[in-house]
Amino acid sequence: MKKETIILGIESSCDETAAAVVKGGTEILSNVVASQIESHKRFGGVVPEIASRHHVEQITIVIDEALKEANITLDEVDGIAVTEGPGLVGALLIGVNAAKTLAFSHQKPLIPVHHIAGHIYANRFETEMKFPLLALVVSGGHTELVYMKAHNDFEIIGETRDDAAGEAYDKVARTLGLPYPGGVQIDHLAREGEDTFHFPRAMMDDGSYDFSFSGLKSAFINLLHNMRQKNLEPSPADLAASFQASVVDVLVTKTIAAAKEYQVKQLLLAGGVAANQGLRERMIQECELEIPDVELIIPPLSLCGDNAAMIAASGTVAYLEGKFGDLALNAKPGLLFEEV
Ligand code: KG4
Ligand code: ZN
């Protein structure tokens, strides 16, 4: 019997230092994530210089831990997958250099991975991917509808024209005085409130698959400031619920329309905002109603945010296709999907 591919994944594009060992592209043997959230909290967002320093301190510890937990040595690993971009350049460099060093010293193939491809491949731990499929990628830096006809074949059919969904969540959370990262806080608050403010649903019925969240963010901030100037304090729970209703409405409506037009077999959620309870619930409801024949896949909460298991999963496909990098591999902070 053919031995299953074992890939070590490394991720350091933003504020998590992560390493994981994945077998056959679908089985997690270990998945270690060292989060830096506490260090960035007091600044209200990720400070790139601090992120880089943390990655330097953590990277070898996290890799050792991932190998130990998987009960494996580097010699038993078939390849080393690493996020080459997009992300913070100083942060990416730490992972890329660690991967290159290990690949060189242990004579292993080096596999560059696009961070967003990784987020999409987190779904492969749930079930096997069936093509054609559509992935809604919603994270701190990205909001994209990605159409895939086959493995490693990504076509962006729609994307945000300004802020990413997660970015808008974090910004409005900040104006409410909630700690970074605010997305999850707004999500919790929204459960206790109602959509009383009816914020705009930007571009919802324009026929495109693009998004825009900066107008919504401004509407939220302006409303809050105007009310405060009148010495009124709107209910944070209603504000959160109204904001979330607008974001979720647009995301779900456009995604379902695209799934219908592209006649996909599966619909995948991916990225940090895929952890949002409001989005998960609405998407399940609407899919049952509107596209009952399409299989909806949602990763577990632990695999929505940044992790290295998703990088190893995506890296396994690239490994089997022979898509290797060499020791000239560099961090690519603005890496586009088209370059994969
Ligand atoms: O994918 P991710 O971990 O990092 C990036 O690649 O950007 O996404 C992080 C983003 C942050 O903006 C965070 O606030 C948001 O995901 N997020 C959420 C929730 N959990 C994380 N946004 C809304 N609701 C949540 N439950
Ligand atoms: Zn991410």
Side-chain angles (χ1 to χ4, degrees), residues 97-159:
N97 282 330
K100 286 203 298 194
T101 308
L102 294 179
F104 175 70
S105 59
H106 289 75
Q107 291 299 298
K108 299 286 176 186
L110 184 65
I111 311 152
V113 172
H114 190 288
H115 183 75
I116 299 303
H119 274 302
I120 294 173
Y121 272 89
N123 284 279
R124 216 177 162 204
F125 297 116
E126 279 298 289
T127 188
E128 196 45 81
M129 288 153 104
K130 294 190 198 97
F131 303 101
L133 65 77
L134 182 72
L136 171 65
V137 181
V138 270
S139 73
H142 293 258
T143 303
E144 281 149 13
L145 275 169
V146 182
Y147 176 68
M148 292 179 72
K149 276 189 286 214
H151 277 299
N152 251 339
D153 176 355
F154 309 100
E155 184 191 341
I156 298 179
I157 62 164
E159 61 193 320

Side-chain angles (χ1 to χ4, degrees), residues 8-10 17-20 30-34 53-69 94 98 102:
L8 168 70
I10 299 173
T17 320
S30 65
N31 189 19
V32 180
V33 181
R53 282 170 194 232
H54 276 287
H55 287 308
V56 171
E57 283 166 17
Q58 292 296 320
I59 195 85
T60 43
I61 300 171
V62 165
I63 293 171
D64 283 349
E65 185 67 30
L67 292 167
K68 203 168 127 204
E69 262 185 42
I94 313 300
L102 294 179

Side-chain angles (χ1 to χ4, degrees), residues 115 119 139-141 166-167 169-170 181-184 187 271-273 275-276 304-306:
H115 183 75
H119 274 302
S139 73
E167 191 182 351
Y169 262 99
D170 294 341
V184 65
D187 191 12
V273 185
N276 186 275
C304 287
D306 290 346

